[in-house]
Amino acid sequence: MIAGVLAALAAAEWLRGGGNAAAWAWVAAVAGLAAVALATRRPYRPLVVAAALSSLALGVVLVKGAVVVGRIQCCWPAFREARVTSASRALQSTLATAMLQARRLAERGATAALLPREAAFAELARATASGPIGIERGVVIIEPNGTLFAWAGRHREVPAPDSAPELRAVITPFYAVLEARRQTPIGVAVGTVLLSAAPAMPDQDQTVGAAFERAHGVGLQFFSPGFGPRDERVFDICPAGCEHGDTLLSVLTISPAQGDAKLTALAGTSSSAGLVLALTLVLLLAAAAPGAGRWGVLLAGAWALLRASPIVGISGISPSIDLPGLFSPATFYRPVVGVTGASAGTLMVLGILVLVAASVLWRRGLQRRAWMWSAAFFLVLAAPYLVRYFGRGIAPPAGGVSMGLWLSWQGALAVTAMALILLAAALVRGSTEPSHVPWSLPAACAWAGVAAVSGLWLWSPYGAWPEWYTFLWLPALGGVILPAPRRWALPGIAVVAGTAAALITWGAAVEGRLQLAERDAQRLGREGDALSVALLERLGQQISARAQPHTAGDLYALWVGSPLVAEDYPAVLQLWDAGGRSIAELPLATLDLPQAVPAAFAASRSTAGGEGGPRIEPVEWVPGVHYVLVVPFAGGDVLTVVVGPRTRLLPPDRTARFLRGDPGVEPPYTITRSLPDPSSANSAGARLTWRRIGWAARGERRVDLPEGARHVHVRVDLRGPWALLVRGSLVVLLDVALLTGVWVFALVVAEGWRPRVPAVLAALR
């Protein structure tokens, strides 16, 4: 058992990263071997053997990953050559399978064309559901006039209604799609398989190229026949041999750079090791003896979670099992002693650990001492301040807050509050459990509800709550820790702690939205944005190093690879010819800057002939300073990129909304501006002035603009009281279930309790 725990701890250190990662991998492997050797001795225990084998598997996964990383570091040319050679052998088989899938879909579509339309839809849905998992495909039946008769799956482009050739590849700057056709009595059936998609496109990992790269570590780039580069790594793919010149497409095999290959190997090993580590900890917990043995495994598991958390750049134990924002310091950061509160997940892990210890003390029944009352009083007094302190670490993202992210914050704060209150209750409970429910318990729950409802009305944009409001919670906290029967005490503690946590989470989330709104308003006016200038300079260098764009698709391909995308800058890209006429345009935001401004920069003398290189021109406009990147090309064409200030006053264009998709979250605030007042120039306000009006927080700032000062109005919706009460009630019920689950888990750890169905049903009733 100790060897298995050592393997788990070594795995956590490996996941954490660092210069000794390979050494930790070998430590885990040796510990796993020792665990197997000790577990196979008499007497034979299946759970112990299973835990030992899982520990050994964990060590094998880590050592295999360390060996691969070592080969990449020391023997990269040979490693790359071996990988490319192996991938080249598998390329023809992979694409042959894709052709077979496209033909099968087309044949199923031809069969479905004989059915009534409703039945055809069902048949096509069954056809797309069968096949390799993780590969995007579709099928459609097209009538001769172009009308779609029936379809299923996903289609990145509309297939043409023609009938030849039987198999072809459609290559665009964003997609590579394999199409197979079959004639039907009502037109043509087309089966499609997605070969590749540009990185900016949604779900680009569900392609043949992405699956091939995951399996072989080599990327694929597809070209139309004859358009691929002259390189020995380019392969011509034909349906049945290339003797007759019927090349379907050309494929370039792309080996990643050494650094990218190392990161990919580390990420793959971390994902696999994280899952095996979780399984190992569960098996170790089940195999350990109740009491000290399981406590040791529990502490080791908590340490592993804390060490492998994203405070060191790893998204939880495994990126595939990370909850929304649970282990992200970007949305929650309030560290204590370097670890506690570094994310909502780390705070929840330590809170659950304290909660388990408090539940064990509760069941043990300590003899009351004078110091216990003092300690309980200190915990009750510190609980609201500590929970409020951690609540200030909540940082809502600019795109909005999802329900999963909000629940992760509330759960972390609720667990922290419940741990402190239950620990205080365990200190004053005494050695025997009372048989009756004291009046203080329901009174404390009612008082907590009144305090929470009062907090909704007392909250203000400045200072949130008055200082005396914290003491309003002390009667509820004090009443709930008094001795009471377990079946009543636990829900009471969960109700009081969950109510306080829900209120603090709501207030912290609102305060974060106020900060986002204030930063938005500060970007307006004549101050300018140095960051956008630096990022535009980098974009100009990237454009100059690439081939000249010609279409709106080429412009989007340039934009998605720029550093301004991550910062969500509003932009309009436009390509001009030598005569000043627009060739291609890509509007990604609704900018107020007239089109004549970038046209004038494109037609200026300093731009003519492609001399001078890229330059950036600032333009003072509404609602803030705009920057125009001008990139001339040798043929006389000019590219202009207009970037406005980052504000919700400049909403994304419908093209951008289509390309990005629906964010699925509510905007954190709304912002508007008044009409200009030319008589009040140079009267800009330094910051927003906030005030609460009903169930909304409103901010105002005067901004100096070329046409006169304007008032900028920001509104943060607080929701109505009924909506907040309903959400709070549902969240408190979840907190009751959470405390119940931790209580049962503590029973398993300390006493080896096993669930009995009648008892569980009685408890649920």
Side-chain angles (χ1 to χ4, degrees), residues 680-700:
S680 58
N682 300 322
S683 59
R687 299 190 62 181
L688 279 174
T689 302
W690 289 101
R691 55 178 177 166
R692 177 173 177 174
I693 301 177
W695 291 95
R698 296 181 181 271
E700 183 179 346

Side-chain angles (χ1 to χ4, degrees), residues 215-229:
H216 303 281
V218 174
L220 301 178
Q221 187 174 359
F222 297 88
F223 300 91
S224 299
F227 286 88

Side-chain angles (χ1 to χ4, degrees), residues 188-275:
V188 62
V190 183
T192 61
V193 174
L194 186 61
L195 297 178
S196 69
M201 299 297 103
D203 301 330
Q204 57 88 25
D205 58 332
Q206 298 180 2
T207 65
V208 173
F212 187 86
E213 186 173 5
R214 288 193 296 268
H216 303 281
V218 174
L220 301 178
Q221 187 174 359
F222 297 88
F223 300 91
S224 299
F227 286 88
R230 296 183 178 275
D231 195 303
E232 61 181 5
R233 297 173 299 163
V234 175
F235 299 89
D236 292 330
I237 305 300
C238 307
C242 297
E243 295 83 3
H244 304 291
D246 53 347
T247 303
L248 180 64
L249 52 82
S250 299
V251 186
L252 172 65
T253 56
I254 304 174
S255 177
Q258 185 177 8
D260 294 337
K262 179 182 176 181
L263 291 177
T264 302
L266 287 173
T269 304
S270 298
S271 180
S272 302
L275 295 176

Side-chain angles (χ1 to χ4, degrees), residues 462-524:
Y462 293 104
W465 292 283
E467 288 297 331
W468 56 265
Y469 176 71
T470 302
F471 296 97
L472 194 64
W473 284 89
L474 294 181
L477 297 174
V480 82
I481 69 170
L482 296 180
R486 179 186 59 200
R487 66 178 60 189
W488 296 101
L490 293 181
I493 292 173
V495 166
V496 173
T499 304
L503 178 67
I504 291 176
T505 304
W506 170 80
V510 171
E511 291 175 14
R513 292 159 64 191
L514 297 181
Q515 295 174 7
L516 292 175
E518 186 156 352
R519 286 198 292 267
D520 189 324
Q522 292 294 334
R523 301 188 188 107
L524 307 180

Side-chain angles (χ1 to χ4, degrees), residues 387-411:
V387 174
R388 190 170 178 182
Y389 169 82
F390 283 119
R392 292 194 178 98
I394 294 175
V401 178
S402 64
M403 180 58 68
L405 182 59
W406 194 92
L407 288 177
S408 70
W409 296 335
Q410 199 277 338

